[in-house]
Amino acid sequence: MFSQVYEPKGYEFTWLPAAELGGGLAEHLDERTRIVWLETPTNPLLNVIDIRAAADAAHAAGAMVVVDNTFATPYLQRPLELGADIVVHSTTKYLGGHSDVVGGFAATNDPTVAERLQFLQKSLGAVPGPFDCWLVLRGIKTLAVRMRQHCENAHVVALRLAHHPRVEQVLYPGLPTHPGHEIAARQMRDFGGMISFLVESEDEAVNLVAQTKIFQLAESLGGAESLIEHPARMTHASTADAPFAAPKNLIRLSVGLESAEDLVDDLEAALVRSTASAGA
Ligand SMILES: Cc1ncc(COP(=O)(O)O)c(C=O)c1O
């Protein structure tokens, strides 16, 4: 969106790694900076950004802050209370919660921004249909209970993967070893249902995502059913040449609402099968 739609129109972007957005952001801002756009936890690397620190630095430079809160949801993280000016969500994910709707929304507590967004929405026509709105509203009724179960299941899966000999590294903010753990513990109620992990090679990653039986091989995330995918070839293939490209040996999980033990068994069996088929 930024590089292929807005850059050709004359907008300029500077891409920063997550670590620099929380601390050290000020030195990248000047009087021309209008917006600091961030996402936390990030897709697909689960980096965590200190929203309050980013908002303080952005506001000191006269810029506004937009936070993509899709991974966390409003149940786990409330960026407006941490200083953000606008929060955006893909309602396709946890808010809808059942992988049966495509949508999004922006929230703000600034009346001037709200009025401008409303005008743009009316003028440009980016308006969701009534049935899509109904599906999202129905999904939101169970958001809290679903998120609690997503978090509980993800925690079990992350811990088991972290101790698995064929897993190089687990990226989950709920693990105390995660570099963003402390910030996440401060600004989130819990750590969410998304986990990424690194295996030995791209071949092993491609092999593994085809071996699970409960985790379905699919893009998207945040639904009741668990999903597994290979970001470098699927969700993030279009950013393969970008500075923030997904590592080729990375696997992303959207941990669903099934039994956590079944999910762990499924991954462990798939790790055995993918090892066997790589050796064959
Ligand atoms: C963090 C995040 N923001 C925004 C989007 C865009 O969502 P949609 O597919 O509803 O346009 C996605 C989709 O994967 C996402 O993961």
Side-chain angles (χ1 to χ4, degrees):
M1 187 71 140
F2 292 159
S3 60
Q4 293 176 42
V5 177
Y6 285 105
E7 261 175 2
K9 292 179 196 285
Y11 291 80
E12 287 174 28
F13 295 89
T14 305
W15 313 99
L16 295 179
E20 277 179 59
L21 271 158
L25 174 61
E27 62 204 66
H28 297 281
L29 307 177
D30 61 31
E31 69 290 345
R32 293 164 61 239
T33 312
R34 304 292 295 277
I35 289 179
V36 172
W37 186 291
L38 63 94
E39 177 186 324
T40 181
T42 65
N43 182 8
L45 289 173
L46 281 306
N47 288 313
V48 172
I49 294 157
D50 186 332
I51 298 172
R52 171 79 63 197
D56 286 349
H59 292 157
M64 66 166 52
V65 176
V66 182
V67 176
D68 184 329
N69 200 37
T70 297
F71 267 33
T73 82
Y75 178 71
L76 297 179
Q77 179 170 272
R78 299 164 70 92
L80 294 180
E81 290 171 8
L82 298 167
D85 301 286
I86 301 177
V87 182
V88 293
H89 278 275
S90 165
T91 54
T92 312
K93 313 292 171 14
Y94 289 106
L95 297 181
H98 298 75
S99 307
D100 54 8
V101 61
V102 172
F105 78 84
T108 180
N109 50 17
D110 180 331
T112 312
V113 173
E115 195 181 328
R116 183 70 185 154
L117 285 176
Q118 224 153 27
F119 170 76
L120 287 172
Q121 186 181 42
K122 181 186 66 157
S123 309
L124 299 171
V127 183
F131 183 60
D132 293 347
C133 293
W134 181 81
L135 281 172
V136 173
L137 289 171
R138 194 175 67 159
I140 288 173
K141 290 179 191 185
T142 54
L143 180 69
V145 280
R146 284 188 288 108
M147 290 316 296
R148 288 199 287 270
Q149 197 62 42
H150 283 299
C151 292
E152 193 180 314
N153 284 359
H155 203 83
V156 173
V157 170
L159 275 177
R160 289 283 277 277
L161 284 176
H163 290 107
H164 198 284
R166 303 221 48 96
V167 173
E168 304 266 303
Q169 194 185 352
V170 177
L171 310 175
Y172 182 61
L175 296 177
T177 48
H178 187 282
H181 177 71
E182 255 179 58
I183 297 168
R186 204 165 61 230
Q187 71 185 13
M188 297 176 75
R189 186 199 290 257
D190 204 336
F191 302 99
M194 298 300 297
I195 300 173
S196 289
F197 63 100
L198 295 159
V199 290
E200 203 171 71
S201 64
E202 178 174 17
D203 278 352
E204 182 150 346
V206 171
N207 225 328
L208 179 64
V209 297
Q211 302 287 346
T212 51
K213 293 189 185 324
I214 300 176
F215 281 89
Q216 297 293 307
L217 177 56
E219 298 197 359
S220 202
L221 59 103
E225 292 89 11
S226 291
L227 303 178
I228 189 167
E229 66 118 1
H230 181 234
R233 291 195 186 190
M234 295 171 66
T235 46
H236 293 70
S238 66
T239 52
D241 301 322
F244 47 85
K248 294 191 188 324
N249 58 338
L250 185 79
I251 293 173
R252 192 191 75 182
L253 303 176
S254 173
V255 179
L257 304 177
E258 304 91 339
S259 137
E261 277 311 305
D262 287 353
L263 294 176
V264 167
D265 289 350
D266 189 35
L267 288 169
E268 287 182 345
L271 278 157
V272 171
R273 278 194 294 273
S274 73
T275 312
S277 63

